Amino acid sequence: MPVNKDSNLIFEGLNESQTKAVNTLKGPLLILAGAGSGKTRTLTHRIANLIHNGVEPWRILAVTFTNKAANEMKDRISALLKLTNANSDNMPATGTFHSICVRILRRDIEKIGRDRNFVIYDTSDQETLMKGILKDMNIDSKELKPKAALGQVGKFKSEAMNTKEVAEQATSDWMARMVKIYSTYQNKLKENNALDFDDLILECIRLFREAPDVLDRYQNTWKYLNVDEYQDTNHAQYIFISMLAGKYRNLCVIGDPDQSIYAFRGADIRNILEFNEEYPDAVSIKLERNYRSTQQILDSSDAVIAANPGRPQKKMWTHRADGNLLSIHEVRDEKDEAEETVNNVMSKLANGTSLNEQVVLYRTNAQSRHFEEACMRNALPYRIVGGVKFYARREVKDLLAYLYAMHNPQDALSLLRVINVPARKIGKTTIEKINAFCQEHEMSFWSALKNINSIDHINESTKNRISEFAALIEKYKERRLQISVSQLSTELLEEIQMEKWLRDDTTEGETRWENIGELINVMHKYDGLESEQSFVSFLEEVALVSEVDKMNDARDDALTLMTLHLCKGLEFGHVVIAGCEEGIFPHSNCMFDKEQLEEERRIMYVGMTRAKDQLTLMHANSRTVWGDMQANSASRFLDDIPEKLVERKGDIFSRMQLSSSGLSSTERRNASGEASRTSRGLSDLDFNQDINSSEEDFNQDPSHDFESGARIHHPIFGDGTIMSLSGDIAEIRFDSGNVKKIALNVVKVEVIQK
């Protein structure tokens, strides 16, 4: 294996604590890595050092929480070792918990009586399945929503509790009902030869327990384990890792208890807090030097998190001592909050901080609307992280459902999704008759389709269409073994005339077909693999893909809007945290629960430590929640920040005038004669967001100075020429080559030459 024998690269640029961690190669190791302390760098350098010291790469397993982190780790290790050809033989095994478990189960799941051709159900699939279960159990969705039921099932699974264990703890009628739902849900998954994400880990644990030879094989294969973001692991993940590490105990975990913010999805902070109790001989190392933020930001965030009891003490420091004070900005309401935030962002933009280096963080998705509208009013490009995912779009899921059905025809959900896509005149009544036949004869949905002539009360023409559909699935089930997944999908789309069905001469239809094209593009990555492997590899990427993994792929300069839970692992020059008020952040659901309140404080800490240069904290005096105006006090988290680190904004006298006038800041500007902004025609602007226009009417006519051929200056896009006018909307060709539609009474556009 051609690797670098010189260790200089491995230790180059490491500080004392990082070097100690990198050189600790044997036994249990706990690395407490504060925000921005070079956690990923330390872990990758340690793995490279293991290989440099003679550990065979395939003996090393690195577990991450995102595919992006796994790929980044591979690239860094390859560079450190100067590998001439990085492949599975000279690189450690890396991946997420789910991807590693899929790898194990594809090989060995048959030892516990399951079919290795299982499909992985995503959130949408799970909801569809649960909706059917609740309906069959005559449970009203108003009483128990499918998402809520799945949430409870997820809690059971994150604790590694099977249906029998849950049943033993059922002490109420409600819990007894949940046991029945859980049991039915698992049976349905098994009938469809499907696993959900939690099952991937649970079935691995069951496999290790019931087939000790398999566990022994993997223990001997992966003798050195490295787990990133250990504070985010749940109990099931803890058991999985503990079993793998049980024989050789070469377990390195790295994380930060102060950044444990996923309790809602089962993360158990005790896994990292009690690591030394489980491994008394463990070496513990703190990474306290920060390479991201200014000292002012670090001191402020440390002051906030210090109020949490029972946390390992650490003091973050940096050489960047000349930073700006934090800005705590008080505003009248959520509309002012959004407007002032956008003004702040544009000011930073004018001073050299790009939009890609700025982010607005909020506690809940519902807070985004006003920021979206403010961006649109100011013609400020923006992106939302956390909207509808590409793989969740209808047409994309339709094609994927075809592929899942070919892979595993027992997957009833996928069959049901596409049996009438494109339309085949196979309606709801027909489906109900088939389902009734399945229940009566204890037959799978797929078997019923193949025996459709045995079902009464379905007319012959419908039976023929169903037979044709079943034959189609059978045909491509065989075809997937002969050609690549991209070629297979292209042939299928042509045969079912998907393009004609999607492209219905509307903009939406064109977009849907473009999404199909993008999905085919993804498939092409697997053209070089053997046919079946191409097919399986693609489906697994789709099932395991993460939106945040792809967030940084965006090339256009735009302001990022996202929830605080999604910002983990990211950094920005300028961070705005909105809604820093009691009841908003901390959230009203958490204010009277000690553990939840501690987590809210950790969420604030995570948000604050995303900032490199400037941190702005916004809070409003009042906010409309569920249609009611609420007066809110500033968040308790703001009180924890020392005054010497803070610059406060918000004039008391102005607020008193504002209160008496009942006008918003935007309306006050309009009243004083300043150019107003309207939301009329915003749907025609050059933004790719589906946002409802504001109901407010600012009632100002566009200036008569605007005419076709006029030269103008835009505050963001620069100089350009008006190509055409349609009411308030001007089509402008900018000198950069971009052509955009701009609402002239929304944006301050200056005429520089008529």
PDB file of all heavy atoms in Angstrom, residues 181-194:
ATOM      1  N   ILE A 181     -50.294  -0.535  18.250  1.00  0.00           N
ATOM      2  CA  ILE A 181     -49.900   0.202  17.051  1.00  0.00           C
ATOM      3  C   ILE A 181     -48.472  -0.163  16.652  1.00  0.00           C
ATOM      4  O   ILE A 181     -48.186  -0.429  15.474  1.00  0.00           O
ATOM      5  CB  ILE A 181     -50.036   1.722  17.283  1.00  0.00           C
ATOM      6  CG1 ILE A 181     -51.512   2.109  17.436  1.00  0.00           C
ATOM      7  CG2 ILE A 181     -49.384   2.509  16.148  1.00  0.00           C
ATOM      8  CD1 ILE A 181     -51.724   3.552  17.884  1.00  0.00           C
ATOM      9  N   TYR A 182     -47.581  -0.173  17.627  1.00  0.00           N
ATOM     10  CA  TYR A 182     -46.174  -0.517  17.386  1.00  0.00           C
ATOM     11  C   TYR A 182     -46.059  -1.928  16.799  1.00  0.00           C
ATOM     12  O   TYR A 182     -45.363  -2.148  15.794  1.00  0.00           O
ATOM     13  CB  TYR A 182     -45.403  -0.403  18.703  1.00  0.00           C
ATOM     14  CG  TYR A 182     -43.911  -0.649  18.636  1.00  0.00           C
ATOM     15  CD1 TYR A 182     -43.213  -0.595  17.433  1.00  0.00           C
ATOM     16  CD2 TYR A 182     -43.188  -0.914  19.814  1.00  0.00           C
ATOM     17  CE1 TYR A 182     -41.830  -0.807  17.392  1.00  0.00           C
ATOM     18  CE2 TYR A 182     -41.820  -1.122  19.783  1.00  0.00           C
ATOM     19  CZ  TYR A 182     -41.148  -1.082  18.582  1.00  0.00           C
ATOM     20  OH  TYR A 182     -39.785  -1.290  18.555  1.00  0.00           O
ATOM     21  N   SER A 183     -46.769  -2.866  17.400  1.00  0.00           N
ATOM     22  CA  SER A 183     -46.712  -4.246  16.943  1.00  0.00           C
ATOM     23  C   SER A 183     -47.245  -4.382  15.520  1.00  0.00           C
ATOM     24  O   SER A 183     -46.641  -5.053  14.671  1.00  0.00           O
ATOM     25  CB  SER A 183     -47.512  -5.137  17.906  1.00  0.00           C
ATOM     26  OG  SER A 183     -47.489  -6.478  17.481  1.00  0.00           O
ATOM     27  N   THR A 184     -48.375  -3.729  15.247  1.00  0.00           N
ATOM     28  CA  THR A 184     -48.962  -3.788  13.910  1.00  0.00           C
ATOM     29  C   THR A 184     -48.041  -3.150  12.884  1.00  0.00           C
ATOM     30  O   THR A 184     -47.860  -3.657  11.771  1.00  0.00           O
ATOM     31  CB  THR A 184     -50.332  -3.084  13.897  1.00  0.00           C
ATOM     32  OG1 THR A 184     -51.168  -3.640  14.913  1.00  0.00           O
ATOM     33  CG2 THR A 184     -51.009  -3.242  12.538  1.00  0.00           C
ATOM     34  N   TYR A 185     -47.448  -2.033  13.255  1.00  0.00           N
ATOM     35  CA  TYR A 185     -46.526  -1.319  12.371  1.00  0.00           C
ATOM     36  C   TYR A 185     -45.340  -2.207  11.999  1.00  0.00           C
ATOM     37  O   TYR A 185     -44.972  -2.319  10.821  1.00  0.00           O
ATOM     38  CB  TYR A 185     -46.052  -0.044  13.064  1.00  0.00           C
ATOM     39  CG  TYR A 185     -44.999   0.744  12.332  1.00  0.00           C
ATOM     40  CD1 TYR A 185     -45.305   1.508  11.209  1.00  0.00           C
ATOM     41  CD2 TYR A 185     -43.679   0.751  12.779  1.00  0.00           C
ATOM     42  CE1 TYR A 185     -44.335   2.247  10.556  1.00  0.00           C
ATOM     43  CE2 TYR A 185     -42.702   1.483  12.136  1.00  0.00           C
ATOM     44  CZ  TYR A 185     -43.035   2.230  11.015  1.00  0.00           C
ATOM     45  OH  TYR A 185     -42.054   2.958  10.374  1.00  0.00           O
ATOM     46  N   GLN A 186     -44.763  -2.884  12.975  1.00  0.00           N
ATOM     47  CA  GLN A 186     -43.625  -3.757  12.709  1.00  0.00           C
ATOM     48  C   GLN A 186     -44.030  -4.938  11.835  1.00  0.00           C
ATOM     49  O   GLN A 186     -43.275  -5.357  10.946  1.00  0.00           O
ATOM     50  CB  GLN A 186     -43.014  -4.247  14.021  1.00  0.00           C
ATOM     51  CG  GLN A 186     -42.304  -3.156  14.831  1.00  0.00           C
ATOM     52  CD  GLN A 186     -41.169  -2.510  14.061  1.00  0.00           C
ATOM     53  OE1 GLN A 186     -41.301  -1.392  13.564  1.00  0.00           O
ATOM     54  NE2 GLN A 186     -40.045  -3.199  13.956  1.00  0.00           N
ATOM     55  N   ASN A 187     -45.206  -5.484  12.075  1.00  0.00           N
ATOM     56  CA  ASN A 187     -45.683  -6.601  11.251  1.00  0.00           C
ATOM     57  C   ASN A 187     -45.882  -6.169   9.801  1.00  0.00           C
ATOM     58  O   ASN A 187     -45.562  -6.918   8.866  1.00  0.00           O
ATOM     59  CB  ASN A 187     -46.981  -7.170  11.825  1.00  0.00           C
ATOM     60  CG  ASN A 187     -46.759  -7.938  13.117  1.00  0.00           C
ATOM     61  OD1 ASN A 187     -45.666  -8.437  13.382  1.00  0.00           O
ATOM     62  ND2 ASN A 187     -47.802  -8.041  13.939  1.00  0.00           N
ATOM     63  N   LYS A 188     -46.427  -4.958   9.609  1.00  0.00           N
ATOM     64  CA  LYS A 188     -46.639  -4.440   8.261  1.00  0.00           C
ATOM     65  C   LYS A 188     -45.307  -4.220   7.536  1.00  0.00           C
ATOM     66  O   LYS A 188     -45.175  -4.507   6.348  1.00  0.00           O
ATOM     67  CB  LYS A 188     -47.434  -3.129   8.312  1.00  0.00           C
ATOM     68  CG  LYS A 188     -48.898  -3.297   8.675  1.00  0.00           C
ATOM     69  CD  LYS A 188     -49.685  -3.936   7.534  1.00  0.00           C
ATOM     70  CE  LYS A 188     -51.166  -3.973   7.846  1.00  0.00           C
ATOM     71  NZ  LYS A 188     -51.938  -4.648   6.755  1.00  0.00           N
ATOM     72  N   LEU A 189     -44.325  -3.696   8.270  1.00  0.00           N
ATOM     73  CA  LEU A 189     -42.999  -3.531   7.680  1.00  0.00           C
ATOM     74  C   LEU A 189     -42.454  -4.879   7.214  1.00  0.00           C
ATOM     75  O   LEU A 189     -41.921  -5.004   6.105  1.00  0.00           O
ATOM     76  CB  LEU A 189     -42.036  -2.903   8.695  1.00  0.00           C
ATOM     77  CG  LEU A 189     -42.163  -1.405   8.983  1.00  0.00           C
ATOM     78  CD1 LEU A 189     -41.225  -1.004  10.119  1.00  0.00           C
ATOM     79  CD2 LEU A 189     -41.857  -0.569   7.757  1.00  0.00           C
ATOM     80  N   LYS A 190     -42.613  -5.887   8.050  1.00  0.00           N
ATOM     81  CA  LYS A 190     -42.104  -7.220   7.720  1.00  0.00           C
ATOM     82  C   LYS A 190     -42.833  -7.797   6.508  1.00  0.00           C
ATOM     83  O   LYS A 190     -42.221  -8.414   5.626  1.00  0.00           O
ATOM     84  CB  LYS A 190     -42.236  -8.149   8.923  1.00  0.00           C
ATOM     85  CG  LYS A 190     -41.464  -9.456   8.763  1.00  0.00           C
ATOM     86  CD  LYS A 190     -41.442 -10.245  10.051  1.00  0.00           C
ATOM     87  CE  LYS A 190     -40.603 -11.523   9.884  1.00  0.00           C
ATOM     88  NZ  LYS A 190     -40.535 -12.294  11.155  1.00  0.00           N
ATOM     89  N   GLU A 191     -44.161  -7.596   6.457  1.00  0.00           N
ATOM     90  CA  GLU A 191     -44.938  -8.065   5.313  1.00  0.00           C
ATOM     91  C   GLU A 191     -44.444  -7.453   4.008  1.00  0.00           C
ATOM     92  O   GLU A 191     -44.406  -8.102   2.961  1.00  0.00           O
ATOM     93  CB  GLU A 191     -46.418  -7.720   5.503  1.00  0.00           C
ATOM     94  CG  GLU A 191     -47.155  -8.564   6.523  1.00  0.00           C
ATOM     95  CD  GLU A 191     -48.585  -8.069   6.731  1.00  0.00           C
ATOM     96  OE1 GLU A 191     -49.082  -7.316   5.862  1.00  0.00           O
ATOM     97  OE2 GLU A 191     -49.190  -8.438   7.753  1.00  0.00           O
ATOM     98  N   ASN A 192     -44.055  -6.185   4.075  1.00  0.00           N
ATOM     99  CA  ASN A 192     -43.580  -5.468   2.897  1.00  0.00           C
ATOM    100  C   ASN A 192     -42.080  -5.646   2.662  1.00  0.00           C
ATOM    101  O   ASN A 192     -41.515  -5.034   1.742  1.00  0.00           O
ATOM    102  CB  ASN A 192     -43.893  -3.981   3.019  1.00  0.00           C
ATOM    103  CG  ASN A 192     -45.376  -3.678   2.936  1.00  0.00           C
ATOM    104  OD1 ASN A 192     -46.160  -4.497   2.478  1.00  0.00           O
ATOM    105  ND2 ASN A 192     -45.760  -2.506   3.389  1.00  0.00           N
ATOM    106  N   ASN A 193     -41.463  -6.489   3.496  1.00  0.00           N
ATOM    107  CA  ASN A 193     -40.012  -6.666   3.448  1.00  0.00           C
ATOM    108  C   ASN A 193     -39.305  -5.314   3.479  1.00  0.00           C
ATOM    109  O   ASN A 193     -38.443  -5.003   2.656  1.00  0.00           O
ATOM    110  CB  ASN A 193     -39.574  -7.459   2.215  1.00  0.00           C
ATOM    111  CG  ASN A 193     -38.106  -7.894   2.296  1.00  0.00           C
ATOM    112  OD1 ASN A 193     -37.564  -8.057   3.388  1.00  0.00           O
ATOM    113  ND2 ASN A 193     -37.476  -8.053   1.150  1.00  0.00           N
ATOM    114  N   ALA A 194     -39.715  -4.512   4.449  1.00  0.00           N
ATOM    115  CA  ALA A 194     -39.184  -3.158   4.570  1.00  0.00           C
ATOM    116  C   ALA A 194     -38.635  -2.932   5.977  1.00  0.00           C
ATOM    117  O   ALA A 194     -39.049  -3.579   6.941  1.00  0.00           O
ATOM    118  CB  ALA A 194     -40.273  -2.130   4.260  1.00  0.00           C
TER     119      ALA A 194
END
